Every structure is written in structure tokens, then in C-alpha cells.
Amino acid sequence: MKSISLHIEKTFDFIKEGAIEGFKAQIKAANDALENGTGKGNDFLGWLHLPSSISKSEIDELNATAKVLRDNCEVVVVAGIGGSYLGARAVIEALNNSFSWLQEKKEGNPVIVFAGNNISEDYISELTEYLAGKKFGVINISKSGTTTETALAFRLLKKQCEDQRGKEMARKVLVAITDAKKGAARITADKEGYKSFIIPDNVGGRFSVLTPVGLLPIAVAGFDIAQLIKGAADMEKELSKDENNIAYIYAATRNALYQSGKKTEILVNFHPKLHFIAEWWKQLFGESEGKENKGIFPAAVDFTTDLHSMGQWIQEGERSIYETVISIETPNRELHVPSDKENLDGLNFLAGKRIDEVNKMAELGTQLAHVDGGVPNIKISVPQLNEYYIGQLFYFFEKTCGISGYVLGVNPFNQPGVEAYKKNMFALQIKSVV
Ligand code: PA5
């Protein structure tokens, strides 16, 4: 089986000679700290050997629950935010037909929509309007069970589902993924008798895509979770054996670039379907590394779309950035440029070529231009966009993130900074009712 690969040659002109090798001892120490559970945040290492430890019976149970939702729903709402949302959306959007949201339930696949990731009255109201009269179900995902955005959406969706479909059917199509014992989501699920899954205590939100948090919605959308897990498990094995593995090299390269003043990493894709993979990656690295006044800022762009906007900044703005391109080797579909008698657009020289050839020329041309313009370039090559390679990609990024965070000297597994806005929000709400 092929594997994703990493290419860092286009960073060498921007870092001191030997800088990447210079991190070798620190990378090894970081990896040992992860493997031996001796580093900061070591009570959140449940993700490290998760892929290889998921059993067939767990996968069967998830697929069985997915079938209940698929059999009984035209639409399934996935309610969650941050780590309880982005992984599922990343896979579903990467693998779904780009226009699936325009289609009604097709080939047994319910339409998947997302909620509980904002507090916009318009969004929630428009969602409830869309769901009116539809056979819908909800997967309510919250580790704490008390996150405002998700709890607020679920309160409305639960009522609407019960009103529209009756209590008995609602009990069948409302599923909870939450803590084993605590939180409002657990209490409600147990009281109402919903099917529920547990988020392990030792897996933080942004590392939870391979728990039911990501796996159930992905299975409901009709994708092969066993292949996703296999890809991650194969990568887990790959990264455990070789000291010069791609997670070591990516972590060392990122830290070398950071030391040379490259403070922003831009994750680039040339397929808009990867937009939410980038959102997931942004959370993974941003929440893990951005603390103690340190950390590379993770940004993302969708090319070639954003070449017509952010392309200017990347080419000529402040030279504090580097790019990491996710390059898909072979697209899943084939489409050729047609010949045109009049050739008014002058594109007949492309006639007969695959659209992807044009895209690859854009990718190469962009890489050369940006490197020339002073932007180091890392490339992650992915053989094909499918469950297996996305599984590899997830684990590769998670492992790199753990190592890279330890090299940076922070605890990559906590997120004290996200509490600040919540404290203010609650204080202001209390003030407004007294
Ligand atoms: O990574 C994290 O810990 C966060 O993004 C959480 O996943 C997010 O805040 C949602 O929390 P919860 O699952 O408790 O609702």
C-alpha cells in the first residue's frame, strides 16, 4: 500500500545549514516523552495508540447505529464545536460530492448538516426552517456536555425533533456522544434513553476524530470508517519504527523555520474539498502550540481561488510565512478539456488534457513563484483522496503536533486560553439578567 510522503527540499535555502538535523536529539526526546507518558499533559495521550486499539466490535457498533440513522433520516444534524465537530466535517466534505448539499437523500445517504458551532440566530433559525417537515435526526457531540453553542442548538433541535417525529422516533434518532458520567448531555441521554457513545477521558477534543466523535457522523454519511482507521493505524506503525520518519522531519522542519523567523504556516490545498481538513489542522496546531506567548500561527488558503486574493500577500507581503501544500496525486474523477472551433479564449493548446494537469501546472508554477518570492515550501503528497489516506494524514499531523509542541516547550494537550471568552460571556449574561 502506498503512503503519504513529505518533501522539504524547498525549505533548505531559508534555514541555517544543519538546522533540521540540529533538532534530532530534541525530537527523539519529545517522541520518548510521548511514548513513555512522561511529558506535559500526559493524561491526554489516549490518541497515541488509538488507531491500533479500535476493535472490530466497536466499529460494528458504530456502523449499526449509523444504519439506524441512515434508515430513519433524510437529514442528520451533527451538533458540536471545535474538536467535537471539525474532524467529522473534514472527512465528510473531503469525500462527499461537492454538490451533495443541493441533493436530497441519495443512495441511502442522508444529507449531513452541522449545528452547534456558532450562536448565530439567523443560522439556527434558518436550520430549523430547513428541517421543518423533514425526517431528521441529531448526533449531539460534546465531551463536557456543557458547551453553550452546542447545548443551545441541541435544546432547539431536540424539541423540534420530538414535535415533528414524536417522542418514540426521536429516542431512536437522537444520539449522544459525550463523557461517561458527567455533563448535561450525559444526563439527558441517560434520562431519555438515547443511544450514546463515550468520549474517552484521555483524548482531548482536537485529537478525537478517531473516537465516536468523528467516526459516527462519518459512518452516517456513508464512508468507510474501517478504512479511515486502517490508514491511521498503518501510519501509527510507520511512525513508530524509523527515527527519520516523516513526523520527525515535519516537526523538525517547522521548528527550524520558526527559529528562522517564519512565524506563520499556511496550509495550502488545490482542491476546495480539503477546506475543512485545513480547518481541522488549524485547530490541531493552533490550540496545541499557541501558548506561553509562543507558537507558529496556523493559517490556510484554498488555491487557486485564493491566489486571486491572498496570492498577492503571499508573493510580496512580509516574509514571515512558509507554505505547506497538501498535494493530491491522482483525483478521483477524470475530465478532459474540450477543443473549441473558435478558440476565442485561446485555450485550445490545452485541448485533450485532463483538468488535473492544468491544476498541477498551477501548483508547480505557484510553488516556484512563492519560493522565488521568499516563501519556503513543504509538500505533503497524498496518493488519492479517500478514507485510507485521510486516516494516514490525520495520524501524521497528530503525531507531528505532539512532538512539535514538546520541542517548542509547551503542553500541547491543554487549552487554558479558550476559557477566557467563556468567562466574559457568562459574566456579561449574568449581568444582563440581574
Ligand atoms: O479541542 C478542544 O478541546 C475543544 O475544541 C473542544 O473540543 C470544544 O471546545 C468543544 O468542547 P466539548 O466537546 O466539551 O463541547
Side-chain angles (χ1 to χ4, degrees):
M1 188 61 83
K2 283 164 99 178
S3 180
I4 61 171
S5 56
L6 181 76
H7 309 269
I8 58 161
E9 314 76 54
K10 296 267 187 283
T11 65
F12 294 162
D13 285 348
F14 302 92
I15 43 188
K16 283 200 202 113
E17 214 184 314
I20 294 176
E21 294 71 45
F23 278 104
K24 209 170 170 185
Q26 282 183 70
I27 297 278
K28 167 102 178 62
N31 189 61
D32 288 349
L34 282 177
E35 291 296 341
N36 301 327
T38 51
K40 292 177 186 170
N42 56 4
D43 41 350
F44 282 98
L45 293 176
W47 58 273
L48 192 60
H49 296 297
L50 182 64
S52 59
S53 65
I54 301 171
S55 66
K56 173 152 180 347
S57 65
E58 285 171 285
I59 296 174
D60 288 347
E61 191 188 354
L62 286 159
N63 280 328
T65 304
K67 187 170 182 324
V68 173
L69 288 166
R70 288 164 62 79
D71 288 348
N72 291 285
C73 303
E74 299 164 277
V75 180
V76 173
V77 185
V78 178
I81 192 168
S84 290
Y85 148 71
L86 285 167
R89 188 159 193 181
V91 178
I92 293 168
E93 302 234 342
L95 299 181
N96 245 345
N97 184 301
S98 303
F99 302 95
S100 62
W101 53 279
L102 286 174
Q103 296 163 351
E104 291 307 310
K105 180 171 174 164
K106 217 180 157 202
E107 290 157 9
N109 293 327
V111 174
I112 307 290
V113 295
F114 297 90
N117 54 62
N118 62 65
I119 321 177
S120 161
E121 188 163 343
D122 286 352
Y123 185 95
I124 302 172
S125 170
E126 284 160 12
L127 175 65
T128 55
E129 194 178 293
Y130 166 73
L131 295 171
K134 291 200 168 64
K135 291 182 192 159
F136 79 93
V138 184
I139 306 175
N140 183 34
I141 311 173
S142 178
K143 187 172 184 191
S144 62
T146 53
T147 299
T148 309
E149 288 88 339
T150 309
L152 201 55
F154 186 67
R155 174 183 281 232
L156 283 141
L157 292 167
K158 173 179 185 289
K159 181 173 182 321
Q160 185 174 0
C161 188
E162 287 170 350
D163 290 349
Q164 268 176 224
R165 308 200 67 184
K167 265 254 179 203
E168 203 180 317
M169 179 53 86
R171 201 168 291 130
K172 225 174 169 173
V173 296
L174 297 178
V175 177
I177 303 177
T178 187
D179 186 82
K181 297 193 188 82
K182 55 181 192 308
R186 165 56 54 202
I187 295 166
T188 309
D190 289 349
K191 181 173 156 277
E192 301 281 359
Y194 300 155
K195 173 74 188 165
S196 67
F197 292 88
I198 293 168
I199 307 175
D201 275 347
N202 61 356
V203 181
R206 59 191 173 276
F207 289 85
S208 71
V209 60
L210 298 173
T211 71
V213 168
L215 296 175
L216 183 64
I218 293 166
V220 171
F223 300 113
D224 188 340
I225 54 172
Q227 276 301 307
L228 185 78
I229 295 163
K230 181 167 178 3
D234 285 355
M235 186 52 67
E236 178 190 330
K237 204 164 155 199
E238 183 71 26
L239 299 183
S240 69
K241 58 181 185 209
D242 177 10
E243 283 208 3
N244 268 327
N245 67 52
I246 57 174
Y248 279 29
I249 297 168
Y250 184 35
T253 309
R254 299 178 79 249
N255 278 282
L257 286 164
Y258 184 56
Q259 275 192 355
S260 74
K262 305 294 182 190
K263 308 276 186 194
T264 299
E265 178 173 10
I266 305 178
L267 195 74
V268 176
N269 72 73
F270 282 79
H271 294 269
K273 286 175 167 216
L274 296 181
H275 179 84
F276 274 92
I277 296 263
E279 292 300 304
W280 174 85
W281 172 92
K282 271 161 59 180
Q283 180 191 2
L284 181 70
F285 281 92
E287 221 175 24
S288 298
E289 292 190 327
K291 43 198 77 155
E292 299 175 30
N293 300 330
K294 293 191 272 194
I296 295 166
F297 183 79
V301 287
D302 301 325
F303 286 168
T304 59
T305 315
D306 292 336
L307 281 171
H308 296 257
S309 52
M310 293 305 291
Q312 172 59 38
W313 200 104
I314 295 170
Q315 189 68 47
E316 296 183 350
E318 192 185 343
R319 301 299 71 186
S320 54
I321 56 172
Y322 65 97
E323 289 181 311
T324 298
V325 179
I326 300 183
S327 177
I328 307 296
E329 288 168 29
T330 313
N332 288 323
R333 290 170 175 253
E334 197 168 331
L335 186 65
H336 296 260
V337 179
S339 175
D340 186 277
K341 242 197 233 153
E342 296 193 51
N343 195 28
L344 293 177
D345 54 14
L347 291 180
N348 266 356
F349 73 102
L350 295 173
K353 288 198 189 304
R354 286 182 67 171
I355 301 287
D356 192 57
E357 284 184 63
V358 185
N359 205 23
K360 288 286 187 316
M361 287 307 126
E363 189 179 316
L364 184 59
T366 305
Q367 185 202 52
L368 297 173
H370 288 181
V371 172
D372 275 353
V375 181
N377 186 285
I378 298 172
K379 179 163 134 177
I380 299 163
S381 206
V382 179
Q384 209 183 335
L385 202 50
N386 61 24
E387 291 90 333
Y388 179 77
Y389 291 118
I390 294 177
Q392 285 196 3
L393 206 53
F394 277 153
Y395 191 82
F396 160 67
F397 280 136
E398 288 180 356
K399 187 82 189 269
T400 302
C401 185
I403 294 172
S404 188
Y406 277 166
V407 170
L408 193 66
V410 299
N411 174 357
F413 307 114
N414 66 2
Q415 54 284 327
V418 299
E419 295 307 315
Y421 98 91
K422 292 184 195 167
K423 268 189 216 145
N424 285 349
M425 178 172 76
F426 286 120
L428 290 167
Q429 271 161 1
I430 289 165
K431 233 170 149 184
S432 73
V433 290
V434 288

